Amino acid sequence: MNMQAMLKQAQKMQNDMMKEKAIIDETIYEGKSSLVSVKVKGTKELVEVKIDADSLEKEDIEMLQDMIVVAVNEANKQIDKDTEQKMGKFTQGMPGLF
């Protein structure tokens, strides 16, 4: 394979990677934990928190804080999994690239 063909192939792969990453970045992932649900963009930007206030009592604030952490972490894990699935074909075992 000549050098020009290799460069062209690398540019195509880079463009494909950028398209996949843009799709992930704009996707909204939802994490849930009992009374709490959160929505997080693929960039890991928290965009929404919903709390089931009807089921909440004043003394449950500490538990609610823990549930928010669990829900956000669940959404972030979904982002990581989706990123690995979609970007793994480009990185081929190079951890930490995205």
Side-chain angles (χ1 to χ4, degrees):
M1 182 179 268
N2 68 33
M3 187 60 114
Q4 189 171 7
M6 285 176 51
L7 286 173
K8 190 173 185 177
Q9 184 178 4
Q11 286 176 332
K12 182 188 180 315
M13 187 171 84
Q14 182 180 19
N15 287 338
D16 291 347
M17 287 173 61
M18 291 172 61
K19 287 177 187 174
E20 289 287 347
K21 183 65 174 141
I23 291 169
I24 291 169
D25 287 350
E26 292 304 313
T27 301
I28 302 293
Y29 298 85
E30 187 171 5
K32 294 182 179 184
S33 176
S34 301
L35 307 173
V36 178
S37 68
V38 297
K39 291 186 179 179
V40 181
K41 288 177 69 173
T43 57
K44 296 191 177 182
E45 175 187 351
L46 181 63
V47 293
E48 182 179 282
V49 175
K50 286 191 177 182
I51 299 169
D52 181 9
D54 295 339
S55 302
L56 185 65
E57 296 180 23
K58 293 283 186 199
E59 54 274 352
D60 292 335
I61 297 298
E62 188 174 320
M63 181 180 71
L64 176 63
Q65 292 168 339
D66 291 340
M67 283 190 253
I68 291 171
V69 169
V70 168
V72 170
N73 288 337
E74 179 187 322
N76 284 335
K77 285 178 186 175
Q78 290 176 27
I79 294 167
D80 291 341
K81 181 180 176 186
D82 204 23
T83 300
E84 178 61 34
Q85 286 177 342
K86 291 182 178 181
M87 302 304 288
K89 61 186 170 193
F90 301 112
T91 60
Q92 297 180 358
M94 295 183 284
L97 193 57
F98 287 96

